[in-house]
Amino acid sequence: MIKHLFSYYSIFKNYSSNSIIVMEEFHDFTMMFLTIITFFILVVILRLIISKFFNYKFMENINMELIWTILPMGILIFIAYPSLFYLYLFDLLVNPSVTIKVFGAQWYWIYENFDNLKGYTYSSYMIQDLEMLSLENYKMGWRLLETDTRLTVPYGAKIQCLTTSLDVIHSFSIPELGIKVDAVPGRLNSINFQISRPGVYYGQCAEICGTGHPFMPICLEAI
């Protein structure tokens, strides 16, 4: 039991190899506490039901109050430490396949791709209605969501996205991919994601950033 109780420490070292195993280990770890607590409560309730005696003068017990205050605190600490550890590790990508940097501006996006040799930067603006009608069929996307330049990333690869802003607070959000990270001036936020299938994914700025807020869409294409 003790060996299994602290087995998650060995998982920390290999968390990047299989996150599913890590979550299963943490689930088993928390379920062990839940099982013990449930069993203890059931025993107490059963004892109260079958007992023939009752103390009518029992009003307070300092030792018992200390136990039911300190013991839950200790259990929460045992659960909170690995939980916070996992949250930190899941946001940390050691060796991403692709790193992109996203700048929020009023009111468009600037993307910067990095590779081993060089990086290149390009801006992305929303396509106006009249302009969209003159585009090729493959480029005719959703109204107010299609952009003149798409953020292109490989699907199936581990992608690290770094976000910041040039002026006010923006929010880089693609709901279909579960991505939402604030772009804050003077701060570099990071989010990691992996796209399982190719396609075009749309999003918008999720932070009210001025009069052009509804007109700075995000168009990501996974190839």
Side-chain angles (χ1 to χ4, degrees):
M1 179 64 69
I2 299 298
K3 182 178 180 181
H4 178 73
L5 176 63
F6 295 100
S7 62
Y8 63 88
Y9 285 110
S10 61
I11 301 297
F12 286 164
K13 301 178 182 179
N14 302 316
Y15 73 94
S16 59
S17 60
N18 197 334
S19 59
I20 297 179
I21 295 178
V22 171
M23 292 306 298
E24 289 179 351
E25 288 287 331
F26 179 68
H27 173 267
D28 296 340
F29 179 72
T30 54
M31 285 301 296
M32 181 187 61
F33 286 104
L34 181 60
T35 303
I36 296 174
I37 294 172
T38 304
F39 181 76
F40 175 75
I41 293 176
L42 290 176
V43 170
V44 172
I45 294 176
L46 184 62
R47 290 290 300 274
L48 290 175
I49 292 175
I50 64 177
S51 177
K52 299 180 180 180
F53 303 99
F54 188 82
N55 188 352
Y56 289 98
K57 297 182 179 180
F58 178 75
M59 299 298 294
E60 63 178 9
N61 190 315
I62 301 300
N63 294 330
M64 184 177 294
E65 291 179 4
L66 289 175
I67 291 174
W68 72 43
T69 301
I70 297 176
L71 186 60
M73 290 175 56
I75 294 174
L76 291 176
I77 291 174
F78 268 100
I79 296 176
Y81 176 74
S83 176
L84 296 175
F85 205 99
Y86 286 143
L87 285 175
Y88 173 77
L89 292 181
F90 284 158
D91 287 338
L92 181 65
L93 192 60
V94 177
N95 189 21
S97 302
V98 178
T99 300
I100 58 176
K101 191 172 183 180
V102 178
F103 297 87
Q106 292 179 316
W107 287 273
Y108 61 98
W109 296 98
I110 303 173
Y111 303 124
E112 184 174 351
N113 287 1
F114 295 96
D115 53 32
N116 295 329
L117 299 178
K118 61 179 181 179
Y120 57 96
T121 304
Y122 51 94
S123 301
S124 179
Y125 294 88
M126 185 190 74
I127 297 180
Q128 302 297 326
D129 294 344
L130 295 178
E131 296 179 8
M132 185 175 293
L133 295 176
S134 62
L135 296 176
E136 299 293 336
N137 292 332
Y138 79 95
K139 195 71 173 180
M140 291 185 65
W142 293 97
R143 177 178 178 269
L144 300 181
L145 289 178
E146 189 62 55
T147 59
D148 57 355
T149 305
R150 292 174 174 175
L151 174 60
T152 305
V153 297
Y155 81 95
K158 295 181 179 179
I159 301 171
Q160 182 185 37
C161 178
L162 307 175
T163 62
T164 186
S165 175
L166 301 180
D167 34 56
V168 297
I169 299 178
H170 300 277
S171 184
F172 187 75
S173 174
I174 306 178
E176 192 172 358
L177 298 178
I179 299 173
K180 186 179 184 299
V181 56
D182 288 340
V184 182
R187 178 181 176 87
L188 200 62
N189 290 331
S190 175
I191 190 171
N192 308 310
F193 61 94
Q194 188 173 5
I195 304 175
S196 59
R197 64 182 186 276
V200 181
Y201 303 88
Y202 296 97
Q204 290 178 302
C205 176
E207 186 74 29
I208 299 177
C209 54
T211 57
H213 161 68
F215 308 112
M216 52 179 305
I218 302 163
C219 184
L220 183 147
E221 183 175 6
I223 59 174

